[in-house]
């Protein structure tokens, strides 16, 4: 039986004068106006789930709390792996593709893979915004700082890093907005709309997952930046879960589920603009539950790996120091090793050679200085985690007939 959608305010439109600044097809050159979408103010908008949706939201929230309580604090390697996993998946939604090895290379300044560089920036932006939300608030300063970290080195949009856009943007359609899939509100409306969204983010009367879903869709509709909106918007989901106390340690890698059904994710954002929000909230809750289930398995597997490492290749001396550091982050750089081993170059060479021979580390650079390594088990598990999430989402899609 079809579900009844609960009312949510739809977007309105406004007509803007337009003159193409680029040469192109005649219809583009002759376009004199465009229609932009104006999101509603949602600071006080009401949404109430039906019983089935409320139960689904509660199950997803319990899955987040269980993951955080049982595996977040006691196994900090999970946090490092999930942070990297979320950066990988969120960047992939934006058609950026890179592995943990690429991430490690980019971390020491090797820019051969631009996608990896973008992923490093995305990881830092996610970390910063979620950490700031631990204070109980999600502020404009924190959001702008996350965007600045994401975009400051971008050769095109770096000059807009960390500030609201002051130009018109659009999604799809080519070099002009004539055939765009979505034309966000004009730039002069962005500050007020974002103020309204921050007020919404500080409410406590909505279920945390519903609040995260609505906030994300509203943010994407406003599209307040010239670029980087998708990655910051998905980091906002994790920030809401942190602010509302569902996840005190881990970053829930929800993008891993969204990338598995990317077309449906974009469909939800389009429907949100028409005032349909229920199905998006339910899908996000299912996505969160799915990634938490798979992250629990990841935690158990990595726990075994860490125990084996501590009893074997990393059982004593400087090897143990490095082994403990791998619990915090599966990427190891020479700069980090110098801090861990007090700049002892001989110890660095011995430990890395031994751990590579033991299959703990994998070198990802060939140069003699500013080297980097990835943790083999973590890299393999990031790939396996993504594959499991993709399979679970695809199976559900086939079952319900998406």
């Amino acid at each position: 039986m079809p579900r009844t959608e609960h009312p949510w305010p739809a977007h309105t439109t406004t007509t803007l004068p337009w003159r193409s600044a680029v040469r192109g097809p005649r219809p583009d050159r002759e376009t004199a106006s465009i229609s932009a979408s104006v999101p509603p103010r949602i600071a006080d908008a009401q949404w109430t789930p039906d019983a089935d949706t409320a139960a689904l939201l509660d199950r997803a929230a319990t899955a987040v709390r269980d993951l955080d309580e049982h595996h977040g604090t006691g196994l900090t390697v999970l946090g490092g792996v999930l942070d990297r996993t979320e950066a990988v998946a969120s960047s992939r939604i934006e058609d950026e593709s890179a592995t943990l090895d690429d991430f490690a290379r980019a971390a020491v300044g090797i820019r051969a893979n631009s996608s990896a560089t973008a992923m490093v920036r995305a990881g830092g932006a996610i970390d910063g915004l979620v950490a700031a939300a631990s204070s109980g608030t999600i502020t404009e300063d924190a959001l702008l700082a996350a965007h600045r970290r994401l975009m400051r080195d971008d050769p095109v949009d770096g000059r807009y890093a960390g500030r609201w856009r002051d130009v018109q943007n659009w999604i799809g359609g080519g070099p002009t907005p004539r055939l765009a899939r979505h034309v966000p509100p004009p730039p002069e409306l962005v500050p007020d709309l974002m103020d309204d969204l921050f007020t919404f983010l500080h409410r406590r009367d909505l279920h945390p997952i519903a609040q995260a879903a609505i906030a994300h869709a509203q943010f994407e509709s406003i599209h307040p930046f010239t670029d980087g909106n998708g990655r910051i918007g998905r980091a906002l989901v994790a920030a809401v879960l942190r602010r509302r106390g569902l996840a005190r340690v881990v970053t829930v890698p929800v993008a891993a589920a969204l990338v598995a059904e990317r077309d449906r994710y974009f469909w939800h954002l389009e429907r949100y603009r028409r005032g349909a929000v229920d199905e998006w909230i339910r899908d996000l809750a299912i996505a969160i539950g799915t990634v938490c289930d798979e992250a629990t398995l990841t935690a158990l597997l990595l726990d075994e790996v860490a125990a084996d490492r501590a009893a074997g290749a990393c059982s004593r001396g400087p090897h143990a120091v490095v082994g403990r550091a791998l619990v915090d982050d599966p990427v190891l750089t020479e700069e980090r090793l110098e801090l861990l081993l007090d700049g002892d170059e001989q110890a660095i060479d011995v430990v890395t050679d031994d751990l590579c021979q033991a299959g703990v580390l994998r070198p990802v650079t060939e140069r003699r200085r500013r080297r980097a390594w990835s943790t083999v088990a973590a890299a393999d598990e990031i790939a396996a985690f993504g594959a499991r999430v993709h399979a679970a989402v695809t199976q559900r899609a086939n079952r319900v007939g998406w």
Side-chain angles (χ1 to χ4, degrees), residues 102-116:
D102 294 324
F103 190 107
R105 281 188 282 268
V108 292
I110 297 179
R111 297 175 179 268
N113 187 326
S114 61
S115 294

Side-chain angles (χ1 to χ4, degrees), residues 15-19 30-35:
T15 301
L16 306 174
W18 180 260
R19 182 176 180 180
E30 293 180 346
T31 297
S33 64
I34 57 173
S35 180

Side-chain angles (χ1 to χ4, degrees), residues 56-384:
L56 177 62
L57 289 168
D58 286 343
R59 287 197 297 273
T62 297
V64 175
R65 290 192 185 97
D66 286 348
L67 177 68
D68 196 76
E69 178 181 351
H70 297 304
H71 301 292
T73 304
L75 186 59
T76 54
V77 69
L78 181 66
V81 169
L82 294 190
D83 287 351
R84 301 294 176 252
T85 301
E86 180 67 354
V88 169
S90 193
S91 294
R92 190 169 296 149
I93 291 174
E94 306 299 326
D95 290 321
E96 302 279 3
S97 182
T99 66
L100 185 66
D101 288 1
D102 294 324
F103 190 107
R105 281 188 282 268
V108 292
I110 297 179
R111 297 175 179 268
N113 187 326
S114 61
S115 294
T117 303
M119 191 175 74
V120 169
R121 295 196 305 260
I126 293 167
D127 293 347
L129 184 58
V130 174
S134 300
S135 67
T137 59
I138 299 173
T139 66
E140 178 178 330
D141 286 346
L143 194 70
L144 293 177
H147 186 260
R148 187 177 304 111
R149 190 167 187 176
L150 175 67
M151 299 301 301
R152 64 189 174 194
D153 296 324
D154 188 272
V156 176
D157 287 280
R159 58 186 173 140
Y160 293 107
R163 62 186 179 94
W164 307 134
R165 60 181 169 87
D166 57 6
V167 296
Q168 185 62 54
N169 57 357
W170 59 91
I171 301 172
T176 75
R178 182 175 65 88
L179 300 176
R181 189 168 68 245
H182 173 53
V183 180
E188 61 267 21
L189 298 184
V190 168
D192 181 59
L193 286 167
M194 289 304 300
D195 284 345
D196 177 81
L197 178 55
F198 285 119
T199 300
F200 174 83
L201 286 168
H202 292 132
R203 288 170 56 174
R204 289 191 172 272
D205 59 315
L206 290 166
H207 192 284
I209 292 174
Q211 185 178 33
I214 294 169
H216 175 73
Q218 181 77 356
F219 180 90
E220 296 305 322
S221 292
I222 299 169
H223 238 60
F225 301 118
T226 58
D227 195 14
N229 294 282
R231 282 163 286 190
I232 295 297
R234 287 182 290 276
L236 190 60
V237 172
V240 171
L241 301 183
R242 179 65 59 85
R243 176 193 168 261
R244 295 294 302 275
L246 295 191
R248 296 170 300 164
V249 179
V250 300
T251 297
V252 179
V254 65
L258 299 180
V259 73
E261 285 290 339
R262 193 171 74 155
D263 289 344
R264 183 171 173 84
Y265 165 56
F266 291 147
W267 174 76
H268 279 308
L269 296 180
E270 292 172 0
R271 292 186 74 240
Y272 174 81
R273 297 193 285 272
R274 300 196 295 269
V277 71
D278 291 51
E279 201 65 30
W280 162 235
I281 291 173
R282 285 191 286 268
D283 267 18
L284 185 67
I286 292 168
I288 287 172
T290 299
V291 297
C292 285
D293 288 346
E294 297 303 336
T296 297
L297 176 57
T298 291
L300 295 173
L301 293 172
L302 291 177
D303 195 12
E304 293 180 359
V305 169
D308 290 344
R309 194 165 58 213
C314 298
S315 61
R316 64 184 63 186
H319 297 68
V321 173
V322 174
R324 288 191 293 271
L326 296 178
V327 170
D328 295 324
D329 193 332
V331 168
L332 191 64
T333 64
E334 189 158 14
E335 181 181 14
R336 189 172 172 219
L337 275 170
E338 288 172 350
L339 293 173
L340 292 169
L341 301 180
D342 297 323
D344 187 335
E345 293 184 8
Q346 182 178 0
I348 290 173
D349 289 340
V350 169
V351 170
T352 53
D353 286 347
D354 288 349
L355 295 187
C356 286
Q357 291 182 23
V360 173
L361 295 178
R362 175 167 56 221
V364 298
T365 55
E366 296 180 355
R367 59 194 186 186
R368 296 179 60 85
R369 305 301 302 170
R370 296 193 68 198
R371 295 170 291 175
W373 299 260
S374 68
T375 309
V376 174
D380 291 347
E381 180 50 30
I382 284 177

